[in-house]
């Protein structure tokens, strides 16, 4: 595979990125998007930042830097670990109070019932909770005994502390559905969008959600490893093809750091764990999607769709090891009970940023608990709801500017807290202070989320000790990120200095 862009595509990408950079109001600038292997054991406390000089583009564009921009002075109830005592449990009540299921699908929508909803309703071992919004239909017209639709009034009647903090007409209202599912017996939650149609079992045409053994030990043969990069793009290894002509398509996930898209080290990774390594638990699995997979607006504006992942013709699972970052989404992702704590979607960023920030936030904390993310061959086909690609591009601006600096910072971040509750709170504060989260509301939301989990009896995983083989040692300060400056190597100047101009031909034809 030769993942090179055409001249037109490359020009459009650079032009669009420059638009974002040149309109940025960021106070300081730098980049740390080149994320190469650089092991180190130097001590970096929980709030040590990458010390890098300001970097500006030749045309005055600025580059976002992961640095502290403001101070959080609000409450820190989990600063010293989990609060003692037992939280008063929430009673069952309100809409669908009689529903108790082990498997729940959660979605929010502004549309009526879709093909996916009809599929899920037919799967009697699953329950579905649909979180409505101000723009949603007032009723959800589908006959079912395993579906709950939570309209605005239903939501406000629930006891969860996060509810007053959530915005209307925002993707983050899905958080209510997550808590509702946990409240009603969930052991697995399928976080999905209503335009992702399930593939079938190949026999009777029944929709299929595979059993990925969530919460079980990762199989060594499925663990990927790269010796050069801390960021992994799983899409190329699942063999993506253009549906129209069967040609190879080079793709990357939404939220992938821009500077690394064409860096071969981010996708050239082997499978099968090294002998010196140990595995942990797989607690989150994201399915890839055929037809219109989760790519960013840059790809959609410059490249072709639809696409299909071949995976060699066989089902494939790729487990991402500790110390390697990969963005995952909220479109076709299964969470096991051990990872319920990591489902919170922030609300002070756009919905097209929210699930990606969640993925990086959650991935980093998972390593502290010996948990892993995995990617799976497609179990869905996405027939995407109406979208404007240009509007998507605008909504994704934080991803283009800030994903690289966030990933670099997280890989070097050393949490001070030694409880999962404390780490969630600590990281929310840090991301607010650096303006990855744009308002203090998301810190309040993270604290309320932990309190809701406690009241629902959700057991939070214990953190690994340093003596554990799976313990992740953060990389030494300044060893992960490096400023990427593109410079001429001199060959252009050497080749061009005596190159005849095409206009010389015309000049030579003129009479003297």
């Amino acid at each position: 595979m030769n993942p090179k862009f055409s001249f037109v595509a490359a020009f459009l990408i650079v032009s669009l990125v420059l638009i974002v950079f040149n309109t940025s109001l960021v106070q300081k600038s730098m980049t740390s998007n080149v994320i190469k292997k650089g092991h180190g054991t130097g001590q970096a406390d929980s709030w040590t930042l990458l010390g890098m000089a300001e970097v500006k583009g030749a045309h005055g564009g600025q580059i976002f830097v992961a640095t502290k921009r403001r101070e959080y002075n609000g409450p820190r109830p989990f600063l010293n670990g989990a609060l003692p005592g037992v939280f008063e449990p929430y009673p069952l009540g309100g809409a669908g109070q009689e529903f108790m299921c082990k498997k729940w699908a959660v979605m929010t929508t502004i549309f009526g019932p879709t093909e996916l909803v009809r599929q899920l309703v037919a799967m009697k071992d699953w329950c579905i909770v649909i979180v409505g919004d101000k723009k949603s239909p007032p009723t959800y017209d589908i006959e079912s005994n395993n579906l709950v639709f939570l309209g605005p009034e239903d939501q406000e009647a629930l006891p969860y502390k996060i509810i007053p903090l959530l915005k209307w007409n925002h993707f983050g209202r899905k958080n209510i559905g997550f808590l509702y599912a946990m409240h009603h017996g969930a052991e697995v939650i399928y976080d999905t969008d209503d335009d992702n149609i399930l593939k079938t079992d190949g026999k009777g045409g029944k929709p299929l959600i595979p059993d990925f053994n969530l919460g079980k030990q990762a199989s060594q043969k499925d663990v990927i490893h790269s010796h050069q990069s801390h960021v992994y793009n799983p899409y190329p290894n699942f063999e993506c093809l253009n549906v129209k002509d069967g040609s190879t398509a080079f793709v990357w996930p939404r939220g992938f750091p821009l500077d690394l898209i064409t860096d071969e080290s981010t996708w050239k990774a082997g499978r099968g764990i090294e002998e010196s390594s140990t595995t942990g638990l797989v607690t989150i699995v994201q399915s890839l999607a055929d037809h219109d997979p989760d790519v960013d607006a840059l790809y959609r504006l410059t490249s072709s769709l639809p696409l299909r992942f071949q995976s060699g013709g066989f089902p494939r699972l790729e487990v991402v090891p500790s110390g390697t970052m990969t963005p995952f989404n909220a479109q076709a992702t299964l969470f096991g009970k051990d990872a319920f704590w990591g489902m919170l979607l922030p609300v002070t960023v756009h919905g097209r940023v929210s699930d990606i920030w969640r993925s990086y936030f959650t991935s980093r904390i998972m390593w502290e608990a010996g948990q892993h993310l995995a990617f799976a061959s497609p179990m869905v086909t996405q027939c995407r709801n109406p979208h404007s690609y240009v509007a998507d591009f605008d909504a994704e601006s934080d991803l283009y500017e800030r994903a690289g600096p966030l990933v670099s910072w997280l890989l070097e971040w050393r949490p001070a807290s030694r409880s999962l509750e404390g780490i969630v709170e600590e990281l929310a504060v840090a991301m607010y202070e650096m303006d990855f989260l744009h308002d203090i509301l998301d810190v309040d939301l993270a604290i309320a989320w932990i309190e809701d989990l406690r009241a629902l009896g959700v057991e939070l995983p214990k953190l690994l000790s340093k003596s554990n083989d799976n313990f992740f040692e953060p990389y030494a300060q300044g060893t992960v990120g490096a400023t990427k400056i593109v410079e001429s190597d001199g060959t252009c100047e050497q080749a061009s200095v005596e190159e005849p101009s095409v206009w010389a031909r015309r000049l030579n034809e003129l009479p003297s």
Side-chain angles (χ1 to χ4, degrees), residues 297 350 352 387-396:
H350 195 280
R352 293 196 61 74
H387 277 256
S388 161
Y389 292 166
V390 174
D392 285 349
F393 172 77
D394 177 69
E396 293 168 1

Side-chain angles (χ1 to χ4, degrees), residues 79-96:
L79 180 62
N80 298 314
L83 293 176
V86 178
F87 279 67
E88 185 69 26
Y90 294 149
L92 285 173

Side-chain angles (χ1 to χ4, degrees), residues 39-77:
H39 289 268
T41 57
Q43 296 296 311
D45 63 26
S46 63
W47 204 199
T48 299
L49 298 173
L50 302 178
M52 291 192 178
E54 181 175 330
V55 176
K56 291 187 178 180
H59 300 287
Q62 294 183 328
I63 302 173
F64 187 83
V65 57
T67 191
K68 190 172 181 179
R69 289 171 165 75
R70 55 195 171 206
E71 190 81 31
Y72 173 77
N73 295 309
R76 294 287 303 274

Side-chain angles (χ1 to χ4, degrees), residues 44-50 66-72 76 409 412-416 426-436 477:
D45 63 26
S46 63
W47 204 199
T48 299
L49 298 173
L50 302 178
T67 191
K68 190 172 181 179
R69 289 171 165 75
R70 55 195 171 206
E71 190 81 31
Y72 173 77
R76 294 287 303 274
W409 181 81
E412 297 182 359
W413 177 65
R414 186 182 299 275
E426 182 182 345
L427 189 49
V429 168
M431 289 180 67
Y432 161 72
E433 291 186 330
M434 290 187 288
D435 199 30
F436 290 110
Q477 181 185 345

